[in-house]
Amino acid sequence: MCGIVGFWSQGPALVDPCASLSRMTEAIRHRGPDDEGQWYDQREQLAFGHRRLSILDLSAEGHQPMESSDGRFVIIFNGEIYNFRDLRAGLNGRRISFRGHSDTEVMLAVIESRGLHEAVRSFSGMFAFALYDRKQRSLHLVRDRLGEKPLYYGWMDHSLLFGSELKALQRHPAWQGDIDRGALSVFLRHGYIPGPLSIYRGIHKVLPGTIVTFRPNAPREEPEIVEYWSARDAAEAGTSAPFQSDVPDVLDRMDALLREIVGREMVADVPLGAFLSGGIDSSLIVALMQAQSTNKVRTFTIGFNEPEFNEATFAKSVAEHLGTDHTELYVTPADALAVVPKLPTLYDEPFADPSQIPTYLVSELARRHVTVSLSGDGGDELFGGYSRYLVGRRLWRLLTTVPYPMRRMLARSIKMIQPGLWQAVIKPLQFVLPDRVGDGLSGHRVHRVADVVSVETAEAMYHDMMSHWRNPAAIVQGGIEPRTALTDDRRWAALEGILPRMMYLDMVSYLPDDILVKVDRASMGVSLESRAPFMDHRVVEFAWRIPDAMRMQAGAGKWILRQLLHRYVPRELVERPKMGFGVPIDSWIRGPLKEWAGDLLNESVLRDGGFFDPGAIRQKWDEHQAHERNWQYPLWNALMFQAWMQAQ
């Protein structure tokens, strides 16, 4: 795992380009503390910088930037190609002389032999790389199929900047960081910034599964973008050809596929382990690791003293059953709170998934013992594990029993009455209704129900479910919310049924822009490589062929994955309600974080910042502090932007 950075100047040459490159490369030292490399083509004014975390071929032969054997290509690469040995073996008849044993050298040889597009389709792994073709005078920026590894790019003045993290781009002399208020609006809604957007105007993310190509003197606003793998195609192809075999056959095939992939991802020349929460996904990955290892697999878990957030006891039981070398660390609220000041720098642009805190803590724990750690990320999105899938399916079935025009009329009628008046009507009912019903009733919630009732499509309903702020563009001054994968129907897959449609939307938005960002920044922030076997494209394509009935049964998701896990771990050790991986942000904002949060959301501070409508945010702050509503997610989003701005 590594960090990459570079620039391509199309105007006057920099006075000292190598010094600029050094500053950019130094900004991502944490991604690769073992080695640094630079390459500069004076004629093209093209610079490549690399920071290396040595995982495979620890010798100098793995040093980057690296040139192909014929000198045509130069590459800087971040990630791992898990099938590089098979690819290398397939090149034996082509008289290629390899200098070392790294996957980077194999990548170059395959590109040299087959061409970039065919080569990338043959790569199985996680990757983001920049490749310069001397013959064609073209620069290619490439990202893996699911978006495990990050890659930003954009023009500043006459220079194209690109790299693994924004903080590296900011070190270039031409940098001008203008906040994109549309991206900020989407961030308030979801707590993350979906690609291709970034928080800065003119800076983009390479989308998963694409190759972005630049050529000298071409219009800089219009690079050539080619999709070499499509999540939509995978979903549509899979659901149109579902497995017709019985459950045991599907389980056998899935077991064999995951065993092979996990085995490949266990290859490393440095100590390796795994995150273990005790849930379905991580327990299955660890079980498959231990089944293929003669030594005890190192596993890592963090625990909390608050029972509602603690999974460490479950993880310990699973570890004892599998016989792993298990390490657990119970962290106090003070330990978790100490991470909060690091978040703005760690995540590089505003990011507000509260599980970023325990993810960083478990990464920090693992890094004390290993350099590579496998995880169960992706299991929920691919196999239907989120509780919101069950809720969404039930809700959509209920909504569609009433014709849309009638629902729209009902919603309008409800919203004609202000929340305060609804509250007056509801208040007497709270004394006669059951506590679990009455406590949740409020005038605002009645309006919230009306919003849900009025949606026309399943995608619109899911977008509503995934929104923290209902109308964020009204909160952001000058904000116009852009279309995203959740709102642009041109990007939707043609899928039957609400469950696959929700899962697909997560696979192209929540997964790459929240989950994988969270894990990448947390792990690389402590120089730890995290690998996710479920993210292999073959698992993705396999999972889309699984019928809904095998995904969800008896009111629980991931049914087929659970059946596979039961081959390795007793049912009673892993069957329990899903807990997630969170921290009590709601009570922290009212307690130990109240002063910090109150300062950031002070009305005068918000007004002076010039980004937010202070009144709307302060209203939620006051209601949260008074225990009238739990606004932890909208407030955390605003706080993470404010803290990020303060750190700039």
Side-chain angles (χ1 to χ4, degrees):
M1 193 70 69
C2 308
I4 64 174
V5 69
F7 59 85
W8 196 2
S9 298
Q10 302 289 308
L14 295 176
V15 174
D16 192 345
C18 292
S20 296
L21 184 61
S22 293
R23 289 191 294 269
M24 296 172 74
T25 308
E26 179 63 23
I28 52 172
R29 169 185 286 269
H30 54 279
R31 298 188 73 92
D34 298 330
D35 189 24
E36 177 184 8
Q38 295 185 2
W39 172 83
Y40 182 67
D41 185 314
Q42 187 170 3
R43 183 177 70 89
E44 291 288 356
Q45 299 185 65
L46 175 62
F48 278 1
H50 187 263
R51 291 293 322 192
R52 184 185 183 195
L53 178 63
S54 300
I55 303 295
L56 294 169
D57 189 355
L58 308 185
S59 72
E61 299 301 335
H63 179 80
Q64 296 185 49
M66 186 181 291
E67 295 190 26
S68 60
S69 60
D70 64 359
R72 174 177 174 177
F73 299 103
V74 184
I75 194 172
I76 43 175
F77 163 59
N78 168 30
E80 299 290 346
I81 304 300
Y82 302 122
N83 65 334
F84 79 100
R85 289 177 173 170
D86 293 340
L87 292 172
R88 178 169 174 154
L91 293 169
N92 282 343
R94 298 181 182 267
R95 297 181 181 179
I96 295 175
S97 176
F98 288 98
R99 301 182 297 271
H101 303 280
S102 71
D103 53 353
T104 311
E105 190 176 4
V106 173
M107 290 173 68
L108 282 170
V110 176
I111 292 169
E112 189 179 349
S113 174
R114 304 180 186 175
L116 175 61
H117 290 73
E118 184 181 343
V120 172
R121 293 187 186 99
S122 73
F123 296 159
S124 177
M126 54 179 180
F127 50 85
F129 64 86
L131 178 81
Y132 182 62
D133 182 342
R134 284 190 170 111
K135 182 178 179 180
Q136 299 291 335
R137 295 185 67 205
S138 56
L139 172 68
H140 307 282
L141 304 180
V142 188
R143 195 172 177 204
D144 62 59
R145 295 170 178 84
L146 277 300
E148 287 189 74
K149 293 293 99 186
L151 188 52
Y152 294 88
Y153 70 93
W155 289 92
M156 288 291 168
D157 198 8
H158 298 290
S159 294
L160 172 68
L161 313 182
F162 51 92
S164 300
E165 296 186 20
L166 289 170
K167 59 175 64 71
L169 278 59
Q170 291 170 333
R171 299 288 182 90
H172 190 275
W175 175 261
Q176 297 175 1
D178 296 328
I179 302 298
D180 184 332
R181 292 176 184 253
L184 176 56
S185 299
V186 181
F187 168 72
L188 271 196
R189 180 180 292 280
H190 297 303
Y192 60 84
I193 298 174
L197 300 170
S198 83
I199 191 60
Y200 294 113
R201 189 182 300 117
I203 300 296
H204 312 284
K205 296 164 184 157
V206 176
L207 287 174
T210 61
I211 301 171
V212 180
T213 299
F214 297 88
R215 295 179 176 86
N217 305 318
R220 68 183 197 181
E221 294 85 3
E222 299 179 6
E224 176 188 289
I225 300 178
V226 175
E227 189 176 55
Y228 68 86
W229 185 86
S230 166
R232 177 164 57 184
D233 289 350
E236 291 176 349
T239 54
S240 65
F243 291 121
Q244 301 297 323
S245 53
D246 57 14
V247 169
D249 179 66
V250 174
L251 285 173
D252 288 344
R253 294 167 69 173
M254 186 162 65
D255 195 356
L257 176 62
L258 286 172
R259 270 181 175 255
E260 177 195 345
I261 290 168
V262 168
R264 279 184 173 179
E265 298 197 16
M266 291 174 67
V267 175
D269 295 330
V270 292
L272 175 142
F275 300 137
L276 178 61
S277 69
I280 303 298
D281 306 329
S282 65
S283 296
L284 179 57
I285 296 302
V286 170
L288 293 170
M289 292 174 70
Q290 192 60 70
Q292 301 178 78
S293 177
T294 56
N295 300 317
K296 289 188 173 185
V297 172
R298 298 296 308 267
T299 53
F300 305 94
T301 300
I302 59 166
F304 296 93
N305 292 313
E306 297 84 359
E308 65 271 26
F309 294 98
N310 185 41
E311 291 187 295
T313 54
F314 305 114
K316 185 175 182 179
S317 297
V318 172
E320 289 175 348
H321 174 79
L322 294 174
T324 70
D325 182 0
H326 191 57
T327 301
E328 64 179 15
L329 175 67
Y330 274 76
V331 297
T332 67
D335 296 327
L337 290 168
V339 177
V340 173
K342 302 176 183 178
L343 297 177
T345 302
L346 185 69
Y347 282 89
D348 214 29
E349 64 179 340
F351 184 78
D353 183 336
S355 62
Q356 61 199 140
I357 297 172
T359 302
Y360 176 82
L361 290 169
V362 75
S363 297
E364 190 178 47
L365 170 64
R367 188 61 179 94
R368 299 174 194 172
H369 307 275
V370 299
T371 310
V372 177
S373 186
L374 273 63
S375 79
D377 291 305
D380 285 311
E381 291 82 3
L382 294 177
F383 296 94
Y386 289 123
S387 59
R388 62 176 178 262
Y389 294 153
L390 181 64
V391 172
R393 188 167 70 165
R394 288 174 175 171
L395 179 58
W396 186 243
R397 286 175 176 174
L398 178 63
L399 288 176
T400 51
T401 61
V402 180
Y404 172 66
M406 292 181 62
R407 288 190 280 114
R408 186 172 57 183
M409 289 177 58
L410 175 61
R412 286 177 177 172
S413 300
I414 291 173
K415 299 193 80 171
M416 288 177 66
I417 302 174
Q418 295 298 313
L421 291 177
W422 275 117
Q423 190 68 42
V425 173
I426 290 167
K427 191 171 183 180
L429 298 176
Q430 291 178 315
F431 296 102
V432 296
L433 291 171
D435 289 344
R436 63 184 178 85
V437 177
D439 290 346
L441 281 177
S442 70
H444 289 288
R445 184 152 293 183
V446 171
H447 271 225
R448 183 79 172 86
V449 169
D451 289 331
V452 175
V453 166
S454 65
V455 298
E456 185 172 5
T457 65
E459 286 81 4
M461 181 201 70
Y462 197 59
H463 179 251
D464 186 85
M465 291 176 65
M466 298 296 286
S467 297
H468 299 162
W469 286 84
R470 299 285 305 143
N471 186 14
I475 310 301
V476 178
Q477 297 180 19
I480 299 176
E481 193 171 357
R483 300 179 81 178
T484 68
L486 274 71
T487 58
D488 188 349
D489 57 6
R490 296 169 300 178
R491 298 167 65 181
W492 296 348
L495 303 173
E496 294 293 330
I498 177 63
L499 177 59
R501 287 152 76 181
M502 290 188 291
M503 291 169 54
Y504 172 75
L505 291 176
D506 273 351
M507 191 171 74
V508 296
S509 58
Y510 182 71
L511 179 62
D513 296 316
D514 185 309
I515 299 298
L516 297 180
V517 169
K518 174 185 67 179
V519 175
D520 175 81
R521 304 305 192 279
S523 59
M524 294 309 296
V526 294
S527 304
L528 174 75
E529 175 173 299
S530 178
R531 299 177 177 177
F534 287 126
M535 291 292 89
D536 189 290
H537 67 282
R538 291 172 297 163
V539 178
V540 175
E541 292 162 359
F542 182 98
W544 277 111
R545 297 190 63 194
I546 296 173
D548 281 1
M550 291 188 191
R551 289 195 186 107
M552 190 172 287
Q553 285 191 26
K558 290 189 291 197
W559 184 84
I560 193 72
L561 213 58
R562 294 170 188 268
Q563 307 318 302
L564 180 55
L565 177 59
H566 296 161
R567 292 183 172 186
Y568 298 92
V569 179
R571 183 184 302 265
E572 60 270 16
L573 292 186
V574 291
E575 290 296 348
R576 65 181 190 279
K578 186 176 177 63
M579 293 180 66
F581 195 41
V583 287
I585 292 294
D586 56 340
S587 60
W588 284 1
I589 294 175
R590 297 187 185 107
L593 286 179
K594 182 177 180 179
E595 182 178 354
W596 168 81
D599 289 343
L600 288 173
L601 300 185
N602 179 279
E603 189 165 352
S604 62
V605 171
L606 292 171
R607 187 178 298 107
D608 292 343
F611 289 102
F612 294 141
D613 171 16
I617 292 178
R618 290 301 303 182
Q619 180 182 352
K620 280 186 168 45
W621 172 263
D622 292 339
E623 290 175 355
H624 189 85
Q625 295 301 325
H627 292 263
E628 295 175 7
R629 300 288 300 276
N630 182 356
W631 292 120
Q632 59 174 327
Y633 295 117
L635 290 174
W636 191 246
N637 293 2
L639 283 166
M640 285 295 94
F641 175 75
Q642 290 291 98
W644 177 82
M645 280 296 296
Q646 192 178 69
Q648 298 309 297

